[in-house]
Amino acid sequence: MRCRFRPRTVVSLLLCVATVGLFLTSVGNHSMSRSLRSLWGPRLCSCHKCLPERNPCFTDILKEAPDPFLSKEHAISAEDFKWWKPIQGTKGNFTLYNETVKRVFEMFPRFPTLPGPHPDRCRSCAVVGNSGTLRGSHLGPLIDHHNIVIRINRGRTEGYEQDVGAKTTHRVMYPESQTELDNSTYLLFFPFKTRDFLWLMDRYRTDENAAAKSKRFPNKDLVLILSPAFMRYVHEAWLRRAGSYASTGFMGLALSMYFCDEVNVFGFGADQDGNWDHYFEILRNKKLKTGGHPGSHEYTMIEKLHEKKIIEFFKGF
Ligand code: C5P
């Protein structure tokens, strides 16, 4: 059976899960896990459960995605560019985009490769959104327990350690959400406009003038750029084109599936009035809602992933 984890095909996923469940019941948990292992070969990772083992249908869905990161080998198509261009009103055409990205590749000739799955390793990941639900949650120690902690935009830790933890290994960022970056944290750069690439290059320039003008980031070897083709895939395949495009947090969550064996999710969810408030500041704009993002679709999808035991979602209350 072909399994696709899309909202419209959740029924097939349920059937798939049910089939596996029936098989489990009929042969007993222990022998089932052994038979699955013999079907799939050795364990993929050393976590309690690795992502593909959580739901056998899931591997297929992940395989549909384009490469999540931009590189010389993984450029985007003219169609992808057409989707991406209006999301934040990029100026210029596909030629300008390609010329700009070419300059990025000259500056970063080799992007880092993230370690892949290994039977002796558990890449446990915490994806931490910025929701006000984290306030008073006491989830900090649990978040810090993960090998990889992905934080989004301005999600800070100082003064909030008890609720959000202190560790950050990966930071999702785009120019307008700029924050500090230390020497050992990966930058997961999400470009929304062609000129965002110029901002990125400026952050790593070494000449004095550039340094004086704006803050620089310290470690050029820890930069990964999300592909606009992947952004489109998340919008179309995961969110059925709801809203104009997925939020940085939701894209960060989808991305985590590509380099984590186990994904736990924290800090997602609007306040009682439907606003995307932050744990680190008082909400001033009471009409904020979830911006142009399909906040309720994203939340429902996160809950579904949790129900299917693909991720664990800690709501913070
Ligand atoms: O607001 P900001 O984009 O910096 O927050 C990071 C991410 O956390 C959002 O993109 C969104 O996915 C998630 N978020 C949320 N509920 C909130 C605030 C943020 O789900 N109240």
Side-chain angles (χ1 to χ4, degrees), residues 103-118:
R103 284 169 55 202
V104 172
F105 293 147
E106 282 160 13
M107 187 165 183
F108 303 87
R110 266 171 45 91
F111 290 108
T113 40
L114 294 169
H118 190 279

Side-chain angles (χ1 to χ4, degrees), residues 3-35:
C3 308
R4 295 157 72 83
F5 194 79
R6 291 182 177 171
R8 97 178 82 101
T9 54
V10 162
V11 175
S12 42
L13 178 62
L14 281 170
L15 279 173
C16 197
V17 173
T19 314
V20 174
L22 274 174
F23 188 30
L24 243 172
T25 320
S26 64
V27 295
N29 272 334
H30 185 64
S31 58
M32 172 61 183
S33 64
R34 261 188 303 157
S35 30

Side-chain angles (χ1 to χ4, degrees), residues 184-211:
S184 60
T185 303
Y186 281 89
L187 169 63
L188 300 176
F189 178 64
F190 285 17
F192 293 110
K193 310 177 279 307
T194 298
R195 69 169 184 277
D196 290 355
F197 291 104
L198 305 178
W199 175 89
L200 175 71
M201 288 187 280
D202 267 349
R203 299 285 78 67
Y204 293 93
R205 286 238 155 76
T206 45
D207 59 272
E208 290 306 312
N209 287 342

Side-chain angles (χ1 to χ4, degrees), residues 129-132 152-154 174 247-250 267-271 275-278 298:
N130 291 336
S131 171
I152 325 275
N153 300 333
R154 295 183 298 120
Y174 59 99
S247 69
T248 42
F250 192 82
F268 283 76
D271 69 8
N275 294 310
W276 265 350
D277 60 335
H278 294 146
E298 294 186 1

Side-chain angles (χ1 to χ4, degrees), residues 88-295:
Q88 283 197 7
T90 202
K91 301 257 177 356
N93 56 19
F94 194 32
T95 310
L96 178 68
Y97 166 90
N98 279 322
E99 281 164 5
T100 311
V101 170
K102 193 169 160 230
R103 284 169 55 202
V104 172
F105 293 147
E106 282 160 13
M107 187 165 183
F108 303 87
R110 266 171 45 91
F111 290 108
T113 40
L114 294 169
H118 190 279
D120 297 335
R121 181 167 48 221
C122 173
R123 299 167 303 165
S124 68
C125 294
V127 182
V128 189
N130 291 336
S131 171
T133 52
L134 281 172
R135 223 179 285 124
S137 67
H138 298 271
L139 286 167
L142 180 63
I143 291 173
D144 280 349
H145 195 64
H146 295 76
N147 309 120
I148 296 174
V149 179
I150 304 166
R151 297 192 193 268
I152 325 275
N153 300 333
R154 295 183 298 120
R156 65 189 72 127
T157 56
E158 303 78 14
Y160 302 93
E161 291 85 352
Q162 179 89 330
D163 294 331
V164 308
K167 184 172 174 179
T168 306
T169 61
H170 295 63
R171 168 80 61 181
V172 170
M173 210 190 288
Y174 59 99
E176 289 80 5
S177 73
Q178 171 170 203
T179 185
E180 302 281 322
L181 202 66
D182 68 26
N183 192 34
S184 60
T185 303
Y186 281 89
L187 169 63
L188 300 176
F189 178 64
F190 285 17
F192 293 110
K193 310 177 279 307
T194 298
R195 69 169 184 277
D196 290 355
F197 291 104
L198 305 178
W199 175 89
L200 175 71
M201 288 187 280
D202 267 349
R203 299 285 78 67
Y204 293 93
R205 286 238 155 76
T206 45
D207 59 272
E208 290 306 312
N209 287 342
K213 258 195 276 164
S214 51
K215 265 209 174 72
R216 283 185 302 149
F217 292 155
N219 198 336
K220 205 171 139 202
D221 297 329
L222 300 181
V223 178
L224 287 156
I225 305 177
L226 191 75
S227 170
F230 188 81
M231 293 180 175
R232 180 183 172 200
Y233 157 78
V234 174
H235 180 239
E236 294 183 350
W238 289 63
L239 296 173
R240 274 208 291 170
R241 299 187 167 89
S244 33
Y245 58 103
S247 69
T248 42
F250 192 82
M251 285 195 273
L253 164 59
L255 178 65
S256 72
M257 308 275 178
Y258 292 82
F259 58 87
C260 300
D261 298 313
E262 181 182 284
V263 174
N264 294 323
V265 177
F266 306 82
F268 283 76
D271 69 8
Q272 56 190 16
D273 300 318
N275 294 310
W276 265 350
D277 60 335
H278 294 146
Y279 64 83
F280 51 82
E281 62 192 7
I282 294 165
L283 180 74
R284 301 211 183 274
N285 177 4
K286 305 276 186 202
K287 292 187 182 144
L288 172 75
K289 302 300 174 204
T290 60
H293 302 299

